Amino acid sequence: SIASSKHASTDPVHQARMGPPIPSAQWGVSFFKAASPRTKIQIEVYLELLCPFSCKMFTTLREGVFPALGSDSDFDFVLHQVVQPWHSQCVPCHEAALAVQRVAPQFYVEYVANIFRAYTAQQFTDQVTLNKTRKQLYQELLELLPESISEPDSAAIQELLLPEKEGASRSMVQDIKWTCKYHRTRGVHVTPTVFVNGMEAGAISSGWTAEQWLDFLKQKGQDNFTG
């Protein structure tokens, strides 16, 4: 028999045939959403939330490039999180950001900015977090939620990170798996990494100013992004 589309089959043979779970929507978050349904130029930005170079690129794009582009509908910038194993404390940070994206996506970019800001202020560095528990990190991350987020949404995010039921499994594990699988499938190992229209753009640097970004983008690919 065919399993219902609403409920996954519990038959282990059927599960094995179906393979591992796949997200129900495209992965990544548009943080400069173009107006047209089919954007001409997609720019994927792979960032680690506890990486100073990722922070610099995120800030340059958000505060310098996006305001200059305005409502230009030819561009869509997509943010992909990259979990780096050598920063063990980054896992709760990525879980928290993904939880915000799941519950209150309109606050996602602001929350990512809050994490970057906290890291720049030395809140989640290797040295500072060495003796902290995972629960302490989640509590600190919950304190970074935007002030305008609703109480129900805040409670829902807290439940995803710190479930009240004793012994409950962490709810964000699958999201972390998809995040890691996505960037590994694309061959992304260092941050930041940028793809333009599906191709890695190795010339783009975290040290780029807003002016350098805009110069790169101004021809809109007519020069094949070679300058």
Side-chain angles (χ1 to χ4, degrees), residues 2 13 30 74 104 132 135 142 152 162 196 199 209 219 224:
I2 300 175
V13 175
S30 292
D74 283 333
K132 289 185 177 180
K135 183 176 182 179
L142 288 168
L162 291 171
V196 177
M199 303 291 180
T209 63
Q219 296 295 329
N224 293 323

Side-chain angles (χ1 to χ4, degrees), residues 51-118:
C51 167
F53 307 106
S54 293
C55 177
K56 181 175 176 59
M57 181 174 285
F58 174 88
T59 303
T60 299
L61 289 171
R62 187 169 182 245
E63 298 181 3
V65 177
F66 296 167
L69 290 177
S71 59
D72 194 320
S73 62
D74 283 333
F75 296 101
D76 183 22
F77 285 77
V78 179
L79 192 160
H80 291 284
Q81 296 176 212
V82 178
V83 183
Q84 299 289 28
W86 47 86
H87 292 151
S88 59
Q89 74 276 20
C90 83
V91 176
C93 295
H94 284 278
E95 286 181 314
L98 291 168
V100 171
Q101 167 60 15
R102 185 193 293 188
V103 175
Q106 68 273 27
F107 292 103
Y108 173 80
V109 175
E110 181 181 352
Y111 186 66
V112 168
N114 289 349
I115 292 178
F116 276 133
R117 195 175 297 114

Side-chain angles (χ1 to χ4, degrees), residues 40-41 196-197 199-204 208 215-227:
K40 178 182 178 183
I41 301 165
V196 177
N197 290 337
M199 303 291 180
E200 184 173 353
I204 298 176
W208 272 19
D215 186 61
F216 175 78
L217 299 172
K218 67 182 180 182
Q219 296 295 329
K220 296 189 175 182
Q222 294 302 309
D223 58 352
N224 293 323
F225 297 101
T226 61

Side-chain angles (χ1 to χ4, degrees), residues 10-29:
T10 57
D11 178 6
V13 175
H14 177 76
Q15 288 180 332
R17 187 168 62 248
M18 291 299 292
I22 295 174
S24 59
Q26 293 183 39
W27 212 239
V29 178

